[in-house]
Every structure is written in structure tokens, then in C-alpha cells.
Amino acid sequence: DLRLPVDGLQWQSKGLTIAEGSSLTAGLNTHPGIGGAGLRVLGTLSVESGVVVKFRDGAGLQVDGGTVSALGTVDAPVVFTSWSDDSVGGDTNGDGDSAAGVWNGLSASQGSSVSLDRAVWRYGRVRVHSGGSNLVNTLDIQNSSLRGSQVLVADGHGTAVNADVTLIGNTLEAVGFVERSRGFVSVHGGGIELVLSPMDSDPVVRDNTITGVRSENAVEGFPVVVSAAILTPGNLTGNSGSDNQHDVM
């Protein structure tokens, strides 16, 4: 097990794998900049409040049956963003300019568990898929702010995924164009899009605000799209959308 409390510590060129049975804790004043192959989690990654994690273009957070817990506070959220984003953590890449960047966001599969609370997530998609496994994935995001990011739970071409999903009190702003060019594509162009298998418990998607969803297809681009065998109306209340291609839920 490893804890990183070192002030200003950065990973600038290589990726890192947290092996099964191992854990890594990023504490306050640790500012990891993940490059290369990104960060792969088979064990446990814990990110404490106030930590800023930046990823180089093309790198991402890949969770393959592991556990990620990022629990911030109102005054000290956990931040995941691009290496090029100077609005938090300073000018990490030293280019004197601030840009959204193109990092790969989150990819979780094979029975992974991801929990974000009072987090800030920028410019990278949050995606949960099966990874060829029938194990149930868990995605729990609450009280968090996402910018330029879609939340997608689906396999390639909209195939259903085993997942227990809770999304409460989040703000997704300037979601942008929902990508359709990769193997794992959105089916209905939702800022939040869930395609869940019949064996799942019904998802909880409440009190989220979604803006700026766009799609290449004129009949797509919705704030929230949920497809599941079991849907409890009370678990899908309080969501709102504006400035989307379509604001119908």
C-alpha cells in the first residue's frame, strides 16, 4: 500500500497500475499529472478532498474490477481534469495557456466500483461498460460538477450493462457533442445515458441539471436517457435540462 502526501508530486511521463490487492491514497498537496498509459486500477484508489488530478492528452483513468473513491468537501472538492486546464492546480504543463485538452476520462468495467462525491470532473467522459464480464459495476456520483463530460453506461452500440447506478444532485454543464465515432457510442445522445440489463436494480437519477448536450444526429441530444427493465418513478425525479439539442427527458 502506498500513500502520496508529497507536496507538488507529479507523474509526468509514465502511467501507473494499481495491482489487485494493493491500494494508493492521494492526499492533500499531492498533484499527480498522469501521462503515458494513464492510471489503471485493479486494486483501490482513494483520492482525498482538495486533491487535483490531471491527465495528459490520450491518458485516462481505467478501472478494471478495482475501486475508486474520491470524496471531496464543499470547500475542497476532488478535481479530475486535463493536463492543459490551468484553472485548477496552475499551469501544470508550462505552456502559459489554458485549454480543455483531450484526455480519455473514466473507463470502468469488470465489476468495478466508482464513487465520486463533491468532485469536479472536466473534459473527459465517464463511461461504464462490461469489459466482457457479467459482473455488476457500481457507479455512484453525487453533489458533483461535470463540465464537457457525458455520463454513459452502455456497451458497444448500446448493448446493456450490469450496473448499479446512483446519480444525485450533479451539474453537467456544456456537455458538448456526444461522441459517436468510437466503438462505445451513445445511442440516444444523452448527457446522462444508461442502458442497463434486466438483472440490475433500478437506477437512481435524481436532481441533476444538464446543459449543452449536442449530437451529430438531429433527433438526438437529450439531457437524460434511461433504459432499464425496472424503473421506479420516484428514483427519476427532479432532473432538469436547458440549452440542449432537445430538453425533453
Side-chain angles (χ1 to χ4, degrees):
D1 295 346
L2 179 65
R3 180 180 175 83
L4 299 177
V6 183
D7 188 22
L9 180 69
Q10 296 180 343
W11 300 309
Q12 294 189 13
S13 61
K14 295 184 179 180
L16 177 69
T17 295
I18 302 173
E20 185 176 356
S22 299
S23 67
L24 172 68
T25 300
L28 188 60
N29 295 323
T30 300
H31 305 288
I34 312 298
L39 181 57
R40 187 180 183 209
V41 181
L42 290 80
T44 300
L45 171 66
S46 301
V47 186
E48 296 181 349
S49 61
V51 173
V52 177
V53 185
K54 293 188 175 185
F55 291 81
R56 284 181 179 269
D57 290 359
L61 177 57
Q62 180 179 340
V63 190
D64 294 332
T67 298
V68 172
S69 176
L71 307 179
T73 66
V74 173
D75 296 326
V78 176
V79 180
F80 294 87
T81 188
S82 162
W83 188 258
S84 304
D85 181 4
D86 300 345
S87 66
V88 287
D91 186 7
T92 311
N93 62 353
D95 65 352
D97 188 22
S98 181
V102 184
W103 68 291
N104 286 346
L106 168 74
S107 173
S109 65
Q110 302 179 46
S112 296
S113 176
V114 176
S115 298
L116 307 178
D117 194 352
R118 302 199 184 282
V120 174
W121 188 282
R122 295 178 176 170
Y123 312 124
R125 183 167 64 178
V126 174
R127 187 186 82 221
V128 176
H129 58 103
S130 70
S133 168
N134 287 324
L135 296 174
V136 177
N137 299 282
T138 300
L139 179 65
D140 186 341
I141 306 177
Q142 300 190 42
N143 310 307
S144 295
S145 172
L146 295 84
R147 182 175 182 84
S149 307
Q150 179 198 28
V151 176
L152 175 65
V153 181
D155 261 354
H157 307 292
T159 305
V161 173
N162 291 338
D164 185 358
V165 179
T166 301
L167 304 171
I168 300 176
N170 303 297
T171 299
L172 284 72
E173 60 179 339
V175 173
F177 276 88
V178 177
E179 294 204 40
R180 299 185 60 82
S181 59
R182 299 182 182 180
F184 293 92
V185 298
S186 175
V187 179
H188 301 289
I192 295 173
E193 181 159 340
L194 314 178
V195 184
L196 305 178
S197 75
M199 67 180 64
D200 295 318
S201 59
D202 56 329
V204 179
V205 183
R206 294 201 318 261
D207 303 322
N208 301 285
T209 302
I210 304 96
T211 63
V213 179
R214 300 290 183 269
S215 175
E216 298 169 0
N217 192 322
V219 300
E220 300 174 355
F222 297 92
V224 179
V225 179
V226 179
S227 174
I230 304 173
L231 290 174
T232 301
N235 288 342
L236 303 172
T237 61
N239 300 296
S240 63
S242 63
D243 190 33
N244 300 295
Q245 198 155 306
H246 302 281
D247 283 325
V248 178
M249 296 290 175

